[in-house]
Amino acid sequence: MKRMEEMRCQYWLPKKKRFCANTPLHPSLYCGNHTTRSDVKWLPCPIDPSHTVLEQNLQAHVNKCPMLKQAHALSLEPYYLKGINSGTNDILTSSEMKRNLVYSLTLPQFSALLSKIRAIHCCVCNDIPFSYKLPHTLDVWIKSLIDRKLPYQEKHVLQQASILGNLEDLDVFGSSAQVLAKEQLNENDISTVVEFGAGRGYLTQILADCYGISRVFLVERKSYKLKADRSLRQKEDLTVERLRIDIEDLNLNAVQSLRGMPYLAVGKHLCGPATDLTLRCCLNKNHDQDNGIEQSVCQNLRGIAVATCCHHLCQWNHYTNRRYLMELGITKEEFHAMTWFTSWAVDADHGSNLTDDGFLQSHVPSGGSDEPRGDAKGVEDVLRNMKPSDRAALGFMCKDIIDMGRLLWVKECGLEESKLIKYVPSDISPENRLIVAKAT
């Protein structure tokens, strides 16, 4: 019996009141599921970096990775081009690296960075309008009149309704906004939508129910259960095509069934660099600047609506408007510090009476002669002693500066009728910035 126990993983399972039955990994006392990450070296899978593999098992794993077949099939698609929307090839900066970068600053350097952030925000981001739209076209969804069992929360419906309402406000849809009234669509009205980071596809579901949409493309790298696809495919007048691909590798010009079609690009909560990848996918003229190869912009793009999210994941190499940051005096290192600050904007209690406008007006340490006070010995202590509202203020400022650069890049690409707005109240979602644009 003792010999049997020695052959088992020594991780105790409290609910089952026994040790794990798996075989331990030599020389560890634990199996692969319960070996602590500090005991062994884990490496990202070269086929699908979203999961990691033990270094000693990497070679064997590559030959049997569940994603191998899919990766091979994807590589044969004409619209797959590795890294076409990625920007530069710099090494990615992890959250830990960003934190260490901030903590390595001296107090004068940290105070100077905060002063720079506040000055830039007052200069370029002092008037981001609030535009919460709930159009009558979407009443059937907003008032929960659709008799369908969908895993939906009201806050998501309100966010999606406002995204589409702001597109209506720009007159992007044309007469298709009146499809519920059975009006005839004009040939120039948008009938095709590409949803980036589509997830389960419920933003597209609303578009299909309430607008004159006849073809949708759902771009998503992951596989989801409880998708809207089944409901969408039951519509006889709607064609649904799901592209399971990373936005970074999508050559939208090479999607055969999209060619020549006026389309709308939408995305709700595109995490971190996914926003930059989406904008570049739709608008970039120079995909391969190193080799001097110029590809034409997507001429059939009629409008964009992108709700930004998770700015703490943003990367310098993916960001669309590095020139804007450098002209403002923001270095690569300061950009990564700013992205690390942004997580504080969503950490606060947005169910209270505080709003993001209030945070932006709250006090941020300016680095004067009397700051930091007390026994603070470094940046880490200063940050730990900051009030939550002060941290939220700093986070919102950084998010706005990042998003404003994206907006200016969209304008430079020819979509001058574009704006950055707060599209829902903070108590619905603190991630409430939307870049919306219309091609003229």
Side-chain angles (χ1 to χ4, degrees):
M1 179 65 71
K2 186 176 181 181
R3 176 62 178 170
M4 182 68 69
E5 291 179 354
E6 290 176 353
M7 294 174 61
R8 289 183 175 182
C9 169
Q10 295 301 295
Y11 184 85
W12 179 257
L13 302 172
K15 291 185 178 180
K16 296 184 178 181
K17 297 182 180 180
R18 63 169 175 81
F19 290 102
C20 171
N22 293 332
T23 304
L25 296 173
H26 184 76
S28 174
L29 296 176
Y30 304 97
C31 67
N33 293 330
H34 298 125
T35 299
T36 58
R37 297 274 166 156
S38 59
D39 291 345
V40 291
K41 188 173 183 179
W42 295 77
L43 300 174
C45 172
I47 298 172
D48 178 21
S50 65
H51 65 276
T52 56
V53 186
L54 280 170
E55 182 179 25
Q56 64 196 60
N57 297 337
L58 183 62
Q59 190 58 48
H61 173 82
V62 167
N63 297 325
K64 60 181 181 181
C65 177
M67 298 298 294
L68 183 61
K69 184 176 180 180
Q70 180 191 331
H72 176 69
L74 180 60
S75 66
L76 300 177
E77 294 289 353
Y79 52 77
Y80 173 82
L81 188 56
K82 183 67 175 177
I84 187 174
N85 302 312
S86 62
T88 64
N89 295 321
D90 295 348
I91 298 175
L92 299 182
T93 304
S94 67
S95 178
E96 183 180 3
M97 294 167 66
K98 293 177 181 180
R99 183 189 66 229
N100 293 338
L101 187 153
V102 173
Y103 287 170
S104 67
L105 296 174
T106 64
L107 289 178
Q109 289 173 333
F110 177 70
S111 296
L113 177 58
L114 295 192
S115 297
K116 180 187 293 187
I117 291 170
R118 186 160 207 171
I120 290 173
H121 188 272
C122 290
C123 180
V124 301
C125 307
N126 59 352
D127 187 24
I128 299 176
F130 180 73
S131 181
Y132 183 35
K133 305 284 185 180
L134 298 178
H136 293 302
T137 311
L138 275 68
D139 279 350
V140 67
W141 270 93
I142 297 170
K143 297 178 181 179
S144 302
L145 299 178
I146 289 186
D147 184 17
R148 183 186 292 116
K149 293 182 179 179
L150 289 175
Y152 241 116
Q153 294 181 18
E154 181 184 5
K155 66 177 183 179
H156 295 304
V157 177
L158 297 177
Q159 291 173 62
Q160 291 160 345
S162 187
I163 290 173
L164 301 180
N166 278 285
L167 283 169
E168 275 196 30
D169 199 44
L170 279 181
D171 196 28
V172 171
F173 291 109
S175 62
S176 60
Q178 307 300 325
V179 70
L180 291 182
K182 304 298 183 183
E183 293 186 6
Q184 184 67 33
L185 296 182
N186 298 321
E187 61 179 10
N188 293 325
D189 290 333
I190 295 174
S191 61
T192 302
V193 171
V194 181
E195 183 180 355
F196 291 87
R200 293 178 173 87
Y202 291 122
L203 177 55
T204 292
Q205 178 77 64
I206 294 180
L207 276 161
D209 286 341
C210 302
Y211 296 87
I213 303 302
S214 61
R215 182 180 292 271
V216 295
F217 296 83
L218 304 174
V219 181
E220 175 58 60
R221 65 181 179 181
K222 297 180 181 179
S223 176
Y224 281 90
K225 295 181 179 179
L226 303 175
K227 300 189 292 287
D229 297 41
R230 181 177 180 181
S231 174
L232 290 169
R233 295 183 192 280
Q234 290 176 351
K235 295 179 177 291
E236 295 181 358
D237 56 347
L238 181 67
T239 301
V240 180
E241 191 170 342
R242 185 174 276 270
L243 307 178
R244 190 172 175 186
I245 185 174
D246 195 310
I247 303 171
E248 182 178 359
D249 305 323
L250 174 60
N251 180 7
L252 206 59
N253 288 320
V255 179
Q256 186 67 36
S257 51
L258 183 61
R259 287 181 178 174
M261 291 188 176
Y263 74 94
L264 171 67
V266 298
K268 175 178 174 285
H269 289 180
L270 287 166
C271 292
T275 294
D276 301 295
L277 299 175
T278 296
L279 295 177
R280 195 176 281 114
C281 181
C282 295
L283 295 171
N284 199 12
K285 295 182 180 180
N286 299 297
H287 291 304
D288 191 355
Q289 297 179 8
D290 295 336
N291 297 323
I293 300 174
E294 183 171 313
Q295 296 187 4
S296 63
V297 68
C298 295
Q299 297 291 343
N300 296 312
L301 179 67
R302 294 294 180 266
I304 292 179
V306 175
T308 64
C309 174
C310 301
H311 295 72
H312 62 283
L313 298 175
C314 290
Q315 296 288 329
W316 176 263
N317 59 321
H318 292 319
Y319 188 65
T320 52
N321 207 345
R322 294 187 293 271
R323 181 170 59 85
Y324 149 85
L325 294 177
M326 291 186 287
E327 289 176 352
L328 292 173
I330 298 175
T331 65
K332 174 182 176 180
E333 291 73 23
E334 289 173 334
F335 171 78
H336 283 139
M338 289 170 58
T339 64
W340 191 71
F341 295 148
T342 60
S343 62
W344 294 334
V346 296
D347 284 345
D349 178 14
H350 290 272
S352 67
N353 293 327
L354 295 172
T355 66
D356 53 357
D357 291 317
F359 289 151
L360 292 175
Q361 296 169 7
S362 65
H363 175 67
V364 175
S366 60
S369 58
D370 60 338
E371 296 178 1
R373 293 187 281 273
D375 59 351
K377 298 180 181 179
V379 172
E380 185 175 358
D381 291 320
V382 172
L383 295 176
R384 187 182 298 113
N385 294 326
M386 284 178 68
K387 296 179 180 178
S389 59
D390 292 338
R391 288 196 295 268
L394 183 57
F396 273 115
M397 289 179 189
C398 294
K399 288 164 71 73
D400 288 344
I401 292 171
I402 292 170
D403 284 342
M404 186 59 68
R406 290 162 164 168
L407 174 69
L408 294 175
W409 188 83
V410 169
K411 290 178 179 287
E412 290 174 2
C413 290
L415 276 68
E416 295 184 2
E417 193 174 350
S418 55
K419 53 188 176 180
L420 174 65
I421 58 175
K422 304 170 189 176
Y423 73 103
V424 289
S426 297
D427 57 353
I428 292 179
S429 174
E431 299 280 21
N432 65 347
R433 273 35 172 193
L434 177 72
I435 297 172
V436 61
K438 177 184 178 182
T440 55

